[in-house]
Amino acid sequence: MQVAYQVLRLIAGGEFHSGQALAKLCNVSRARIWQAIELLREYGLEIHAVSGKGYSLLNAIELLDKELILANMNQTCATRLSQVQVLNQTDSTNDFIKRGMNYMQPNHLVVAEGQVKGRGRMGRGWYSPLTKNIAMSFYTQLKVAPKDLPKLSLVVGICVMKALESLVGPFPGCGIKWPNDIWYNDAKLCGILTESMQAKEGALTPLIIGIGINTHKIDLPIEAKVTSIEEMTGRLISRNQLIARVMDELVVELKRFEQVGFAAMAQLWQHYDLLRGQQVVITEGEHQSHGLCEGINDLGALMVKQENSTKAYFNGEVQVRPYAVVS
Ligand code: BTN
């Protein structure tokens, strides 16, 4: 795979490169270049081969780039990060951090061009094809009580929304679906997987905040309600820039959350909340219930009015109830 990434970096700009030139630059045989091109095609990249000209990408790609990410960040953020690490491909950026946490400094950001075992909430998978979306994980440590962790994951969703809006502006129909998915017109645009580790007595809580953002339109191998920034806005944004904006928000808002709690974010939550006032269905394992969503409570749980009482949900998958089945 190493040669394939070398080739990808050489052809990312969209110009033609002959097999011979690529072989020379990568210091391998032309057969190895051909294999690398086939591998990249298998990973979904559209590569032209024209005799006499060589290989070129159908659409030029701005690959993930540490310097570009740092250049797009504000100074506060750039100085707070201990490291920005760009990977070609990994199993899962959250798992990559889990394996390395013992030697990593807190405030370490990992981004990857692709994941082969991306993980979602509730044991689901997360599809991250090479170069087509953002897979980022941030390792940090915060003073946060276990009871406040659900609210922290809401803060992350708000940060991504703010970062997205700062780049593409507000889009009606785009907002947060509790706890922290970002949806646009009934399809998912971004998912967040926040994992916390047990803190030693009196110590800060280690956290891994994993964020997956669908930037490009992709054909999923399974049927799912998924959309992308490309489909929402009609254009491709710079992934490096969006990563930087998300981090700008996260470093400031996580600190604020640590100091003053969720209260400072409550109004923004209401502004972005897609579920309040909607009839919803909540699925917890095998069990389904439904009711009218009344927003969140002080603990960050979803409040759902059912018959004569209102129930707080801390877990579960929520869907807006299709109109036809409301009884
Ligand atoms: C979900 O909505 O189910 C959460 C999806 C989280 C996906 C991101 S992509 C970066 C990080 N690495 C992972 O394996 N998962 C998260």
Side-chain angles (χ1 to χ4, degrees), residues 90-96 110 115 117-128 133-138 180-183 188 190-195 208-213 317:
T90 185
D91 48 359
S92 142
T93 48
N94 272 33
D95 290 340
F96 180 87
V110 174
Q115 299 182 120
K117 268 195 189 161
R119 290 192 294 111
R121 287 175 55 238
M122 299 192 285
R124 285 182 307 230
W126 183 261
Y127 189 57
S128 301
N133 55 16
I134 290 176
M136 60 190 281
S137 295
F138 180 48
N180 53 18
D181 284 354
I182 293 178
W183 281 58
K188 186 156 166 169
C190 162
I192 295 164
L193 179 65
T194 303
E195 300 183 281
I208 302 173
I209 297 171
I211 304 173
I213 308 177
E317 185 66 30

Side-chain angles (χ1 to χ4, degrees), residues 7 10-11 16-34 37 50 52-56:
V7 170
L10 290 166
I11 64 173
F16 275 97
H17 286 73
S18 69
Q20 194 179 11
L22 290 171
K24 198 166 172 207
L25 287 165
C26 298
N27 203 18
V28 294
S29 66
R30 282 178 70 172
R32 287 287 301 283
I33 295 296
W34 183 81
I37 294 282
V50 176
K53 284 174 116 181
Y55 301 104
S56 86

Side-chain angles (χ1 to χ4, degrees), residues 161 165 168-175 183-186 232 271 274:
M161 260 321 288
E165 281 194 353
V168 302
F171 268 79
C174 182
W183 281 58
Y184 170 65
N185 281 355
D186 213 24
M232 179 173 84
H271 174 66
L274 289 175

Side-chain angles (χ1 to χ4, degrees), residues 147-160:
K147 72 166 180 35
D148 291 328
L149 286 169
K151 280 184 285 188
L152 180 119
S153 87
L154 307 183
V155 171
V156 180
I158 295 173
C159 288
V160 177

Side-chain angles (χ1 to χ4, degrees), residues 78 108 116 146 155 208 252 268 296 316:
H108 186 125
V116 289
V155 171
I208 302 173
V252 171
L268 264 180
I296 55 169

Side-chain angles (χ1 to χ4, degrees), residues 276-289:
R276 194 189 176 93
Q278 301 265 24
Q279 290 288 339
V280 293
V281 181
I282 303 108
T283 309
E284 294 171 293
E286 302 286 284
H287 185 252
Q288 275 203 338
S289 45

